[in-house]
Amino acid sequence: HATDIFTDWAVDFIEDRSEQDDPFFLYLAYNAPHTPIQPPDEWLDRVRQREPDLSEQRARYVALVEHMDHGIGQVLEALEQSGDASNTLVVYASDNGGQLDAGASNAPWRGAKQEMYEGGIRVPCCAMWPGRIPAGQVSDQTAMLMDWFPTICAAGQVPVEHEIDGRSILPLLLGGTVDFEGRHYYWVRREGGKWNSHLYNGLAYHAVRRDNMKLLRNDAFSSLELYSVQDDPVENVNLARTDTDTLDGLQATMQQQVQQAGHVPWQKPAD
Protein backbone atom coordinates (compact mmCIF):
# COMPACT_ATOMS: atom_id res chain seq x y z
CA HIS A 1 0.00 0.00 0.00
CA ALA A 2 1.34 3.45 -0.91
CA THR A 3 0.83 4.75 2.62
CA ASP A 4 3.03 1.97 4.02
CA ILE A 5 5.67 2.58 1.36
CA PHE A 6 5.84 6.30 2.18
CA THR A 7 6.03 5.51 5.90
CA ASP A 8 8.86 3.02 5.37
CA TRP A 9 10.79 5.52 3.27
CA ALA A 10 10.45 8.18 5.96
CA VAL A 11 11.47 5.83 8.76
CA ASP A 12 14.51 4.64 6.79
CA PHE A 13 15.50 8.26 6.13
CA ILE A 14 15.27 9.20 9.82
CA GLU A 15 17.28 6.15 10.88
CA ASP A 16 19.94 6.97 8.30
CA ARG A 17 20.15 10.62 9.31
CA SER A 18 20.42 9.71 13.00
CA GLU A 19 23.94 8.51 12.28
CA GLN A 20 24.95 11.90 10.87
CA ASP A 21 25.57 15.21 12.62
CA ASP A 22 24.11 17.54 9.99
CA PRO A 23 20.53 18.86 10.29
CA PHE A 24 17.93 17.27 8.03
CA PHE A 25 14.68 18.23 6.36
CA LEU A 26 12.06 15.60 5.58
CA TYR A 27 9.01 16.43 3.45
CA LEU A 28 6.55 13.54 3.74
CA ALA A 29 3.59 13.97 1.38
CA TYR A 30 1.16 11.08 1.79
CA ASN A 31 -1.30 10.75 -1.06
CA ALA A 32 -3.93 9.57 1.40
CA PRO A 33 -6.72 10.33 1.91
CA HIS A 34 -7.37 10.68 -1.79
CA THR A 35 -9.37 8.91 -4.43
CA PRO A 36 -9.45 6.05 -5.13
CA ILE A 37 -10.41 5.34 -1.51
CA GLN A 38 -8.67 1.99 -1.05
CA PRO A 39 -7.80 1.28 2.60
CA PRO A 40 -6.17 -2.02 3.58
CA ASP A 41 -8.80 -4.63 4.42
CA GLU A 42 -7.71 -4.99 8.04
CA TRP A 43 -8.14 -1.26 8.66
CA LEU A 44 -11.57 -1.25 7.05
CA ASP A 45 -12.60 -4.22 9.22
CA ARG A 46 -11.59 -2.28 12.34
CA VAL A 47 -13.82 0.64 11.41
CA ARG A 48 -16.76 -1.62 10.53
CA GLN A 49 -16.52 -3.43 13.87
CA ARG A 50 -16.24 -0.19 15.85
CA GLU A 51 -18.90 1.78 13.95
CA PRO A 52 -21.20 -0.66 12.15
CA ASP A 53 -23.73 2.06 11.29
CA LEU A 54 -21.33 4.02 9.07
CA SER A 55 -22.02 3.99 5.37
CA GLU A 56 -19.62 1.94 3.29
CA GLN A 57 -18.26 5.10 1.69
CA ARG A 58 -17.64 6.81 5.03
CA ALA A 59 -16.15 3.69 6.60
CA ARG A 60 -13.64 3.34 3.77
CA TYR A 61 -12.61 6.97 4.06
CA VAL A 62 -12.19 6.77 7.84
CA ALA A 63 -10.13 3.60 7.47
CA LEU A 64 -7.82 5.26 4.95
CA VAL A 65 -7.28 8.21 7.29
CA GLU A 66 -6.64 6.00 10.31
CA HIS A 67 -4.17 3.93 8.31
CA MET A 68 -2.29 7.14 7.46
CA ASP A 69 -2.44 8.25 11.12
CA HIS A 70 -0.81 4.96 12.09
CA GLY A 71 1.97 5.63 9.59
CA ILE A 72 2.55 9.08 11.06
CA GLY A 73 2.82 7.45 14.48
CA GLN A 74 5.51 5.14 13.15
CA VAL A 75 7.44 8.11 11.79
CA LEU A 76 7.23 9.95 15.13
CA GLU A 77 8.32 6.79 16.95
CA ALA A 78 11.34 6.50 14.65
CA LEU A 79 12.18 10.11 15.45
CA GLU A 80 11.94 9.33 19.17
CA GLN A 81 14.09 6.22 18.86
CA SER A 82 16.73 8.14 16.90
CA GLY A 83 17.13 10.59 19.77
CA ASP A 84 16.23 13.55 17.55
CA ALA A 85 12.63 14.14 18.68
CA SER A 86 13.59 16.82 21.21
CA ASN A 87 15.48 18.80 18.58
CA THR A 88 13.08 18.52 15.66
CA LEU A 89 10.23 20.74 14.55
CA VAL A 90 7.39 18.58 13.23
CA VAL A 91 4.55 20.11 11.21
CA TYR A 92 1.39 18.38 10.00
CA ALA A 93 -1.10 20.02 7.64
CA SER A 94 -3.42 19.32 4.72
CA ASP A 95 -3.48 21.00 1.33
CA ASN A 96 -7.26 21.47 1.13
CA GLY A 97 -10.57 20.42 2.62
CA GLY A 98 -11.99 16.94 2.21
CA GLN A 99 -13.87 15.63 -0.82
CA LEU A 100 -17.48 15.10 0.25
CA ASP A 101 -18.43 12.61 -2.45
CA ALA A 102 -15.50 10.44 -1.37
CA GLY A 103 -16.70 10.17 2.24
CA ALA A 104 -15.02 13.18 3.88
CA SER A 105 -16.65 15.67 6.24
CA ASN A 106 -15.65 19.32 6.69
CA ALA A 107 -18.32 20.14 9.27
CA PRO A 108 -19.21 22.72 10.38
CA TRP A 109 -17.71 24.60 7.43
CA ARG A 110 -19.52 25.07 4.16
CA GLY A 111 -18.09 23.54 1.01
CA ALA A 112 -15.37 21.03 0.18
CA LYS A 113 -12.32 20.35 -1.92
CA GLN A 114 -12.32 22.36 -5.18
CA GLU A 115 -14.42 25.10 -3.54
CA MET A 116 -13.51 28.52 -2.17
CA TYR A 117 -15.80 28.26 0.85
CA GLU A 118 -14.08 27.56 4.18
CA GLY A 119 -14.68 23.82 3.83
CA GLY A 120 -12.47 23.86 0.76
CA ILE A 121 -9.58 26.04 1.90
CA ARG A 122 -9.62 26.15 5.70
CA VAL A 123 -7.53 23.32 7.13
CA PRO A 124 -6.18 22.52 10.59
CA CYS A 125 -2.46 22.44 11.24
CA CYS A 126 -0.43 20.95 14.07
CA ALA A 127 3.17 21.62 15.07
CA MET A 128 5.36 20.19 17.82
CA TRP A 129 8.84 21.03 19.01
CA PRO A 130 9.48 19.69 22.52
CA GLY A 131 10.84 22.31 24.84
CA ARG A 132 10.20 25.12 22.36
CA ILE A 133 6.48 25.04 21.43
CA PRO A 134 4.30 25.12 24.57
CA ALA A 135 2.21 21.96 24.70
CA GLY A 136 -1.54 22.24 24.22
CA GLN A 137 -1.68 25.82 22.93
CA VAL A 138 -4.32 26.63 20.30
CA SER A 139 -4.46 29.63 17.97
CA ASP A 140 -6.99 30.91 15.45
CA GLN A 141 -4.34 32.97 13.65
CA THR A 142 -4.85 32.87 9.88
CA ALA A 143 -1.80 31.80 7.88
CA MET A 144 -0.99 30.09 4.59
CA LEU A 145 0.95 26.92 3.87
CA MET A 146 3.54 29.10 2.12
CA ASP A 147 4.31 30.59 5.53
CA TRP A 148 5.97 27.36 6.61
CA PHE A 149 9.00 27.97 4.39
CA PRO A 150 10.16 31.15 6.18
CA THR A 151 9.03 29.67 9.51
CA ILE A 152 11.24 26.60 9.13
CA CYS A 153 14.11 28.76 7.90
CA ALA A 154 13.74 30.99 10.95
CA ALA A 155 13.70 27.96 13.26
CA GLY A 156 16.91 26.75 11.66
CA GLN A 157 18.42 30.26 11.68
CA VAL A 158 18.69 30.22 7.90
CA PRO A 159 18.27 33.70 6.37
CA VAL A 160 15.86 34.17 3.44
CA GLU A 161 17.55 36.80 1.32
CA HIS A 162 15.16 36.89 -1.64
CA GLU A 163 11.61 38.25 -1.80
CA ILE A 164 8.87 35.74 -0.98
CA ASP A 165 5.17 35.96 -0.19
CA GLY A 166 5.34 33.76 2.91
CA ARG A 167 5.80 35.17 6.40
CA SER A 168 7.30 33.42 9.42
CA ILE A 169 4.91 32.37 12.18
CA LEU A 170 7.72 31.16 14.45
CA PRO A 171 6.96 33.75 17.17
CA LEU A 172 3.39 32.44 17.27
CA LEU A 173 4.58 28.85 17.67
CA LEU A 174 6.87 29.83 20.52
CA GLY A 175 3.99 31.31 22.49
CA GLY A 176 3.98 34.87 21.17
CA THR A 177 2.04 36.61 18.43
CA VAL A 178 2.44 37.74 14.83
CA ASP A 179 0.99 40.91 13.34
CA PHE A 180 -0.71 40.02 10.06
CA GLU A 181 -3.31 42.80 10.25
CA GLY A 182 -4.19 44.06 6.80
CA ARG A 183 -2.53 41.14 5.05
CA HIS A 184 -4.24 39.83 1.92
CA TYR A 185 -4.62 36.09 1.40
CA TYR A 186 -5.29 34.89 -2.12
CA TRP A 187 -6.45 31.57 -3.56
CA VAL A 188 -6.84 30.49 -7.19
CA ARG A 189 -7.85 27.21 -8.77
CA ARG A 190 -7.68 26.24 -12.41
CA GLU A 191 -7.91 22.89 -14.14
CA GLY A 192 -7.06 21.98 -17.70
CA GLY A 193 -7.79 18.93 -19.79
CA LYS A 194 -10.96 16.88 -19.78
CA TRP A 195 -11.14 16.15 -16.05
CA ASN A 196 -14.00 18.17 -14.54
CA SER A 197 -14.00 20.34 -17.65
CA HIS A 198 -17.64 21.25 -16.97
CA LEU A 199 -16.51 22.99 -13.76
CA TYR A 200 -13.54 24.87 -15.19
CA ASN A 201 -13.35 24.93 -18.99
CA GLY A 202 -9.75 26.04 -18.45
CA LEU A 203 -10.92 29.10 -16.49
CA ALA A 204 -9.67 30.14 -13.06
CA TYR A 205 -11.71 31.14 -10.04
CA HIS A 206 -10.49 32.96 -6.97
CA ALA A 207 -10.89 34.05 -3.38
CA VAL A 208 -9.21 36.85 -1.46
CA ARG A 209 -9.34 37.60 2.26
CA ARG A 210 -8.27 40.62 4.26
CA ASP A 211 -8.56 40.35 8.04
CA ASN A 212 -12.04 38.85 8.57
CA MET A 213 -13.63 39.68 5.21
CA LYS A 214 -13.49 37.24 2.32
CA LEU A 215 -14.52 37.70 -1.30
CA LEU A 216 -14.90 34.62 -3.45
CA ARG A 217 -16.14 33.22 -6.71
CA ASN A 218 -16.88 29.58 -5.99
CA ASP A 219 -16.47 28.41 -9.55
CA ALA A 220 -15.54 29.94 -12.86
CA PHE A 221 -19.14 30.81 -13.75
CA SER A 222 -20.63 32.05 -10.45
CA SER A 223 -21.10 35.57 -9.12
CA LEU A 224 -18.92 37.16 -6.47
CA GLU A 225 -19.85 36.48 -2.84
CA LEU A 226 -18.71 38.37 0.26
CA TYR A 227 -18.62 36.99 3.80
CA SER A 228 -17.46 37.99 7.25
CA VAL A 229 -15.70 34.81 8.35
CA GLN A 230 -15.61 36.05 11.94
CA ASP A 231 -19.31 36.85 12.33
CA ASP A 232 -20.49 34.24 9.84
CA PRO A 233 -17.88 31.44 9.74
CA VAL A 234 -20.25 29.03 7.98
CA GLU A 235 -20.79 31.60 5.20
CA ASN A 236 -24.57 31.75 5.12
CA VAL A 237 -25.02 35.52 4.75
CA ASN A 238 -23.73 36.93 1.45
CA LEU A 239 -22.86 40.62 1.98
CA ALA A 240 -22.05 41.37 -1.66
CA ARG A 241 -25.07 43.65 -2.11
CA THR A 242 -24.98 45.36 1.27
CA ASP A 243 -21.29 45.99 1.96
CA THR A 244 -20.29 47.35 -1.43
CA ASP A 245 -17.29 49.31 -0.12
CA THR A 246 -15.61 46.16 1.14
CA LEU A 247 -16.58 44.30 -2.01
CA ASP A 248 -15.06 46.98 -4.23
CA GLY A 249 -11.80 47.01 -2.27
CA LEU A 250 -11.37 43.26 -2.25
CA GLN A 251 -12.40 43.00 -5.89
CA ALA A 252 -9.67 45.45 -6.84
CA THR A 253 -7.15 43.31 -4.94
CA MET A 254 -8.45 40.18 -6.64
CA GLN A 255 -8.10 41.78 -10.07
CA GLN A 256 -4.49 42.74 -9.31
CA GLN A 257 -3.72 39.16 -8.37
CA VAL A 258 -5.45 37.83 -11.48
CA GLN A 259 -3.36 40.12 -13.66
CA GLN A 260 -0.15 39.19 -11.86
CA ALA A 261 -0.82 35.45 -12.07
CA GLY A 262 -1.86 35.77 -15.69
CA HIS A 263 1.75 36.39 -16.68
CA VAL A 264 2.69 32.86 -15.63
CA PRO A 265 2.05 30.08 -18.19
CA TRP A 266 0.04 27.28 -16.63
CA GLN A 267 -0.38 24.82 -19.48
CA LYS A 268 1.65 23.83 -22.52
CA PRO A 269 0.19 24.90 -25.89
CA ALA A 270 -1.87 22.25 -27.65
CA ASP A 271 -0.05 20.29 -30.34
Side-chain angles (χ1 to χ4, degrees):
H1 196 284
T3 295
D4 294 324
I5 293 174
F6 292 168
T7 297
D8 291 344
W9 285 342
V11 169
D12 289 345
F13 176 82
I14 291 172
E15 291 175 348
D16 177 67
R17 297 299 301 190
S18 69
E19 300 176 359
Q20 304 178 38
D21 294 331
D22 294 334
F24 67 83
F25 173 79
L26 169 62
Y27 175 54
L28 173 56
Y30 286 106
N31 62 353
H34 197 285
T35 54
I37 308 300
Q38 297 174 336
D41 291 340
E42 62 270 26
W43 287 89
L44 181 56
D45 290 341
R46 290 186 187 186
V47 174
R48 286 170 171 163
Q49 293 174 11
R50 187 184 70 232
E51 300 180 74
D53 295 333
L54 284 183
S55 68
E56 178 67 12
Q57 182 188 60
R58 179 63 177 168
R60 297 183 70 84
Y61 190 91
V62 170
L64 193 61
V65 171
E66 292 186 355
H67 180 221
M68 179 189 67
D69 287 346
H70 176 71
I72 294 171
Q74 291 178 283
V75 173
L76 295 179
E77 177 63 22
L79 194 62
E80 189 72 39
Q81 293 297 323
S82 73
D84 291 323
S86 62
N87 192 36
T88 302
L89 169 61
V90 178
V91 177
Y92 172 79
S94 178
D95 55 349
N96 49 246
Q99 183 175 337
L100 298 185
D101 61 6
S105 171
N106 302 311
W109 317 121
R110 178 182 180 181
K113 178 180 179 178
Q114 298 181 306
E115 296 189 86
M116 292 299 176
Y117 298 120
E118 292 293 272
I121 62 176
R122 178 173 179 160
V123 296
C125 184
C126 305
M128 66 178 231
W129 193 1
R132 301 296 300 277
I133 297 179
Q137 72 172 349
V138 179
S139 173
D140 60 0
Q141 171 67 53
T142 303
M144 298 284 276
L145 286 178
M146 68 175 68
D147 295 328
W148 281 113
F149 174 72
T151 300
I152 293 170
C153 288
Q157 299 181 346
V158 177
V160 179
E161 298 177 345
H162 58 285
E163 183 178 355
I164 60 174
D165 291 323
R167 301 185 187 182
S168 172
I169 60 171
L170 184 61
L172 179 70
L173 299 181
L174 301 182
T177 60
V178 292
D179 183 10
F180 287 171
E181 184 179 358
R183 182 186 186 187
H184 285 96
Y185 300 88
Y186 172 67
W187 296 263
V188 59
R189 187 177 183 98
R190 186 202 304 265
E191 299 282 353
K194 296 181 180 179
W195 185 75
N196 273 346
S197 60
H198 63 289
L199 293 178
Y200 306 103
N201 196 33
L203 301 174
Y205 54 102
H206 315 262
V208 62
R209 172 172 170 171
R210 183 181 186 274
D211 297 330
N212 292 313
M213 300 302 295
K214 184 175 119 185
L215 183 69
L216 66 91
R217 176 173 279 119
N218 199 46
D219 60 60
F221 309 101
S222 295
S223 301
L224 290 171
E225 302 174 43
L226 178 67
Y227 297 99
S228 169
V229 290
Q230 180 179 36
D231 300 330
D232 178 28
V234 293
E235 297 170 301
N236 280 331
V237 182
N238 183 3
L239 304 174
R241 294 188 177 182
T242 56
D243 190 352
T244 55
D245 288 342
T246 300
L247 184 143
D248 290 344
L250 289 178
Q251 186 174 12
T253 298
M254 180 183 289
Q255 289 173 346
Q256 291 173 357
Q257 293 289 344
V258 170
Q259 291 173 344
Q260 180 179 342
H263 292 289
V264 181
W266 63 276
Q267 191 175 46
K268 293 181 179 180
D271 295 334

